[in-house]
Amino acid sequence: MRNRETRAPAGRPRSFRETYRRTRLGTRLALGMGALSLVVFAVVGTALTTYMRDYLDRQLGQQMKLVQIAQSKDAASHGTVQQQPYYGWFTAVYDVSGGRAVLREPADVPADTVALTAAAEALPPEGSAHSLRDARIDGEGAYKLRACEVEPGVVLVTAAPMADLQGTVRQLITVQVVAFALALLALVVAGRAVLRRGLRPISDMAHTARGITSHNLTSSARLPVRAGGGKGGPEVEELRTAFNTMLEHIDDSLAVRTEAEQRLRRFVADASHELRTPLMSVRGYADLFQYAAANEPAEREKHLARLRAEAARMGVLLDDLLLLARLDAAEVETPLRLEDADLAALTRDAVDAFRAGHPGHTLSATVGPEPVRLRLDPLRIRQVLDNLLTNAAVHTPPGTAVGVELSVSTDAAVVRVLDSGAGIPDAEQERVFDRFYRVDKARSRDRGGSGLGLAVARSLVLAHGGTVDLSSGPGRTVFAISLPRGLPRAERGPLLPTGDG
């Protein structure tokens, strides 16, 4: 039983706190405002009641003083008080000697004269001219007693009832309680309504948030809800702006996530297709060896050569994919081997290799004899130049003019690879650097390759801290590689994002 009794009181406050926590904010604020108002009303009521009681008490004391002035003259002339001033008042004259008071007769006194006698005996013989005290007379009630000295040894005691004073104070308290209760009720009700109206924008934002939770984010990357309205004051407007800004950030994050998922699906599909084609070829040639015709020496060498070609094609594709994966994870292990190299010499070597490998295209080079010393990975920059030049040769017919220009500024060195082909449509220019993306949508090696060349080139340039820009129109396409003359990004921190671009 003792354990139950000790646990029960502890459970009730927790239940009350839990109920209070679940109450709506407007109700809690209204209750808090009501509690604060109740304290204010209590303080004001107590102060007002105390002041009114003291005021009435002083007024009664002044009234008794004026009455005793006339009564003192009457007592000095006749020995006792002949006239009763007010109904319910009592007057007595005492002879005081040796600390004892003897009542003079006749006197208008109650049956219980103990309080009046005590007031006469308590008056000091010297010093104070009068004294005031509150006393209770049996059978009569509460009285205020005033004692004053008429002449040496003679004390006049007047008793005034305090029923009217106490009744007035009680009425004042009753009026205050009723008035304050009504005011408190009106304040809580009106305050709740005002707070509910003031908090309505916050409730609207909560409704908007609930709408977000019920929105299917798998079908759309956008949130069709926003917190509207222009009411609520500066604080609510600031909260609404922050809330809508947060939704915009969520929208952007969802758009990025959706785009990344789409790129990943597209990447997996394209990679599967690109790897499936040479694998099917390898399997087909391997199946030919099951037939006698494929065992003839000439036929066997022919099929083996094709097997090696398909394996080499698949090896190049896998090398490009591995390089892109390493570039995506460059903050862990950079694939670059940086050294001081001459960009002009690398450009001339790429030009010579292009002329030897693509004699059907005319190539003009503007490089200059002066060396351009940069800190870079010569093998990777040469790969970028070869990819861009090969891209120009593959996507333009024989005889198309191709050009290479190298220029140097204070901050960067810029290599431009241009051609006079048909150009790239505007709608395709933003995606030419995506992995496995080809403008002509062909899946043939003869028309656009695997679609990784430009993606590898852009990723390598970004890893060096540079940029690749494309400008294209009918009759002119320019890829501009800009490499900084300071430290590349590979030596300054994280290299690049993990997206397809």
Side-chain angles (χ1 to χ4, degrees), residues 129-390:
H130 71 277
S131 66
L132 282 171
R133 63 168 57 186
D134 295 339
R136 185 168 186 82
I137 300 176
D138 290 342
E140 301 293 340
Y143 273 74
K144 180 174 285 295
L145 306 180
R146 190 178 194 276
C148 66
E149 189 178 39
V150 177
E151 56 187 35
V154 179
V155 176
L156 172 64
V157 178
T158 302
M162 299 182 66
D164 292 342
L165 184 148
Q166 293 176 346
T168 302
V169 172
R170 284 193 296 268
Q171 290 180 2
L172 177 61
I173 293 175
T174 302
V175 171
Q176 287 179 348
V177 169
V178 173
F180 287 165
L182 293 177
L184 181 62
L185 179 61
L187 181 63
V188 171
V189 174
R192 179 69 183 93
V194 172
L195 288 172
R196 180 180 298 176
R197 182 179 181 85
L199 294 175
R200 186 174 299 168
I202 299 180
S203 299
D204 293 341
M205 281 184 273
H207 179 73
T208 301
R210 286 193 296 270
I212 294 174
T213 59
S214 62
H215 182 65
N216 185 10
L217 299 179
T218 59
S219 60
S220 174
R222 302 293 297 177
L223 295 174
V225 291
R226 289 295 185 273
K231 299 180 180 180
E235 295 82 2
V236 175
E237 183 62 29
E238 183 178 355
L239 177 62
R240 183 185 296 110
T241 302
F243 184 78
N244 288 334
T245 303
M246 179 190 68
L247 293 181
E248 291 292 339
H249 289 325
I250 293 175
D251 267 353
D252 295 339
S253 300
L254 290 175
V256 171
R257 187 195 69 177
T258 302
E259 183 181 358
E261 291 177 352
Q262 292 175 352
R263 285 201 306 264
L264 179 61
R265 287 194 292 267
R266 188 170 61 247
F267 175 80
V268 171
D270 291 339
S272 301
H273 178 87
E274 293 295 336
L275 290 174
R276 183 172 179 270
T277 301
L279 284 175
M280 291 295 294
S281 299
V282 169
R283 185 164 60 180
Y285 288 129
D287 291 341
L288 289 176
F289 283 96
Q290 296 180 357
Y291 300 99
N295 292 326
E296 297 180 3
E299 192 71 16
R300 183 172 62 249
E301 290 299 326
K302 177 181 177 182
H303 294 325
L304 286 175
R306 291 179 178 177
L307 281 173
R308 284 191 294 271
E310 292 298 333
R313 174 185 172 186
M314 189 164 53
V316 171
L317 178 62
L318 291 176
D319 288 341
D320 289 342
L321 289 174
L322 178 61
L323 176 60
L324 288 172
R326 294 179 63 191
L327 289 172
D328 289 342
E331 66 275 4
V332 178
E333 178 185 2
T334 175
L336 302 182
R337 298 179 179 179
L338 302 175
E339 61 182 66
D340 291 330
D342 184 5
L343 180 61
L346 291 174
T347 305
R348 285 192 289 268
D349 292 343
V351 168
D352 293 340
F354 179 84
R355 286 171 176 166
H358 301 83
H361 288 76
T362 60
L363 177 64
S364 61
T366 305
V367 178
E370 297 297 328
V372 180
R373 307 298 300 183
L374 297 177
R375 186 159 181 79
L376 46 81
D377 186 333
L379 180 62
R380 296 306 183 188
I381 294 300
R382 173 62 188 276
Q383 181 180 357
V384 171
L385 296 174
D386 289 341
N387 283 354
L388 294 180
L389 289 171
T390 302

